[in-house]
């Protein structure tokens, strides 16, 4: 039996969206724009998120395959690219939101942050990595280790 998981308080208050997406007529009034906006609420300072399609689907009240279709459109339009996983326990694929005239990769983006922002990003990634590891360990416990 899995131990009960504590529900984290949702602290998201805003999203930073690519202005090009707001001006892109292909996205006006579409589900793809809603998915992009929600993805942006999960992004760190570097525009990287590891939110799962399942979580996006749950928040939007749609199916996971519907979210996957919209993410494919966003990739095709150039608003989302794959990012490196944080660690080997990460279950969902990392995505990076692309901003025009923004750094082209994570290392270039980090170089534009202040030291305090770099520390905050790394601390957030470290905590997320620990959470992924704890979830991984809880799911993959051997029967003799339980209780």
């Amino acid at each position: 039996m899995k131990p009960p998981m504590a529900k984290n308080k949702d602290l998201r208050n805003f999203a930073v969206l690519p202005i090009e997406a707001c001006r892109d007529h292909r996205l006006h009034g579409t589900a793809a724009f809603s998915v992009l906006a929600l993805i942006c609420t999960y992004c760190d300072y570097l525009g990287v998120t590891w939110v799962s399609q399942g979580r996006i689907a749950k928040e939007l009240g749609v199916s996971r395959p519907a979210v996957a279709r919209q993410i494919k459109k966003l990739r095709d339009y150039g608003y989302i690219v794959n990012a490196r996983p944080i660690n080997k326990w990460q279950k969902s694929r990392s995505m990076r939101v692309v901003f025009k005239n923004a750094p082209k990769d994570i290392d270039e983006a980090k170089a534009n942050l202040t030291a305090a922002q770099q520390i905050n990003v790394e601390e957030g990634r470290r905590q997320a990595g620990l959470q992924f590891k704890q979830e991984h360990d809880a799911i993959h416990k051997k029967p003799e280790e339980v209780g």
Side-chain angles (χ1 to χ4, degrees):
M1 184 168 145
K2 283 176 45 174
M5 304 265 309
K7 179 96 169 136
N8 292 336
K9 184 177 179 185
D10 189 353
L11 300 175
R12 294 171 297 145
N13 293 314
F14 63 91
V16 177
L17 292 142
I19 190 68
E20 298 81 23
C22 298
R23 295 176 180 150
D24 191 336
H25 294 287
R26 298 172 297 182
L27 295 179
H28 286 189
T30 66
F33 188 80
S34 297
V35 169
L36 177 62
L38 189 59
I39 287 170
C40 288
T41 68
Y42 285 99
C43 287
D44 62 14
Y45 286 111
L46 305 174
V48 176
T49 181
W50 47 88
V51 64
S52 69
Q53 292 179 3
R55 176 168 276 181
I56 295 168
K58 184 176 180 182
E59 286 196 38
L60 293 176
V62 298
S63 68
R64 195 207 56 76
V67 170
R69 284 191 298 275
Q70 302 312 316
I71 288 175
K72 182 180 180 330
K73 283 183 189 177
L74 293 168
R75 285 185 204 282
D76 292 345
Y77 294 160
Y79 292 111
I80 293 177
V81 295
N82 289 337
R84 292 183 301 232
I86 297 172
N87 59 44
K88 66 181 180 181
W89 299 286
Q90 182 177 335
K91 293 183 276 187
S92 58
R93 175 178 280 169
S94 295
M95 296 179 276
R96 185 170 63 86
V97 176
V98 177
F99 293 86
K100 189 175 181 182
N101 301 322
K104 300 298 180 218
D105 61 26
I106 299 300
D107 295 328
E108 186 181 342
K110 281 184 181 179
N112 292 330
L113 297 177
T114 65
Q117 288 172 325
Q118 288 182 21
I119 290 168
N120 286 339
V121 166
E122 290 307 318
E123 178 61 22
R125 288 175 171 230
R126 187 186 68 75
Q127 288 177 358
L130 290 174
Q131 181 181 351
F132 285 134
K133 183 177 182 336
Q134 289 171 349
E135 290 174 4
H136 177 270
D137 290 348
I139 292 169
H140 294 86
K141 270 190 178 177
K142 295 178 182 161
E144 63 272 7
E145 294 177 9
V146 178

